[in-house]
Amino acid sequence: WTVNGTQRLLLNSTGIDVTGTATMDGLTVDAVTSFINIKGANGDNSYSGINLKTSWGNTSTGKSANKLAFYASDGDVTGGEASFAEISTKIDSTWSSDSDINGSIYLRTSEANSIKDRLRVAANGDISFYEDTGTTAKLTWDASAELLTTTGLDVTGTATMDGLAVGNGTQQSRMYIDADEVSQLIDGSVRYDIWTGGDKTMRLDSNGDISFY
């Protein structure tokens, strides 16, 4: 098939060869082993890729944009086909132009045929890791504050850090250890107790008094 003397579509025993852009409602590749090969032209500035585009009638916040889903199919099992993982995107803010759109990307996996959030990367660089149910982020990275927050941390091996801060958000105890000194700073009117063998042996009050037991 030619247009104005230029070949646009070739159909032969091996398949089709399209010159230009193929627009379709869907694409199914069905074979025992199947691949889609995307190849750019030779050259330093050439590239290839897949663009997924969604069009809406409005620009509401929280809309799911595009999704790359991974399916398993087996006619011998109940249901025959199921999605076991996906990469999806979501619009995080109301936008009126291409200069103010913000979006997140999610990595999700399926457990008992239920897709659950595992990882979220926000537009501002914040990263969230979710607990087993996929509903609550328990390990978060705040990109602007350069801060990693978690509800619990179990380290096997050596943890190297500049300092250690322990607190409830209002009062904190900070410890600093280096080659020259060991310092512990306690915020507020908080006493400092030392216990050994289950018994209190020393107390340091905020006014400087020291008690031995």
Side-chain angles (χ1 to χ4, degrees):
W1 181 45
T2 62
V3 177
N4 295 329
T6 301
Q7 179 179 292
R8 296 299 185 185
L9 175 65
L10 173 65
L11 176 63
N12 57 30
S13 59
T14 62
I16 63 173
D17 186 354
V18 178
T19 301
T21 301
T23 302
M24 60 197 77
D25 296 330
L27 174 64
T28 300
V29 181
D30 189 359
V32 175
T33 301
S34 56
F35 298 95
I36 298 177
N37 296 318
I38 303 174
K39 183 179 180 182
N42 294 329
D44 294 337
N45 296 321
S46 66
Y47 64 92
S48 58
I50 299 176
N51 294 324
L52 304 178
K53 182 170 66 174
T54 301
S55 298
W56 300 302
N58 55 58
T59 55
S60 300
T61 302
K63 280 182 174 287
S64 296
N66 301 292
K67 179 174 69 174
L68 179 62
F70 302 88
Y71 281 80
S73 179
D74 190 338
D76 295 329
V77 301
T78 303
E81 183 177 87
S83 173
F84 59 88
E86 67 178 46
I87 300 172
S88 60
T89 57
K90 182 178 290 186
I91 302 302
D92 290 337
S93 62
T94 300
W95 58 289
S96 57
S97 69
D98 57 3
S99 62
D100 60 5
I101 186 171
N102 295 313
S104 299
I105 186 168
Y106 290 80
L107 175 62
R108 297 183 168 107
T109 61
S110 175
E111 183 181 32
N113 202 29
S114 175
I115 292 292
K116 299 178 179 180
D117 292 342
R118 299 306 180 196
L119 171 69
R120 174 181 180 262
V121 181
N124 61 359
D126 290 353
I127 303 174
S128 302
F129 296 87
Y130 290 79
E131 36 72 75
D132 60 339
T133 67
T135 57
T136 306
K138 294 295 186 179
L139 177 64
T140 58
W141 167 254
D142 187 323
S144 62
E146 299 181 359
L147 180 65
L148 185 65
T149 304
T150 181
T151 56
L153 184 64
D154 187 356
V155 178
T156 301
T158 302
T160 302
M161 60 195 79
D162 296 329
L164 176 64
V166 180
N168 58 7
T170 303
Q171 295 174 320
Q172 289 188 327
S173 174
R174 296 183 291 274
M175 178 176 290
Y176 300 93
I177 303 175
D178 58 28
D180 299 321
E181 65 175 342
V182 176
S183 302
Q184 185 166 9
L185 288 75
I186 303 175
D187 295 339
S189 300
V190 181
R191 64 178 182 265
Y192 179 66
D193 293 337
I194 295 178
W195 295 68
T196 55
D199 297 320
K200 182 165 53 180
T201 58
M202 190 187 82
R203 169 174 291 177
L204 174 62
D205 287 308
S206 59
N207 61 4
D209 291 346
I210 301 176
S211 302
F212 296 94
Y213 298 88

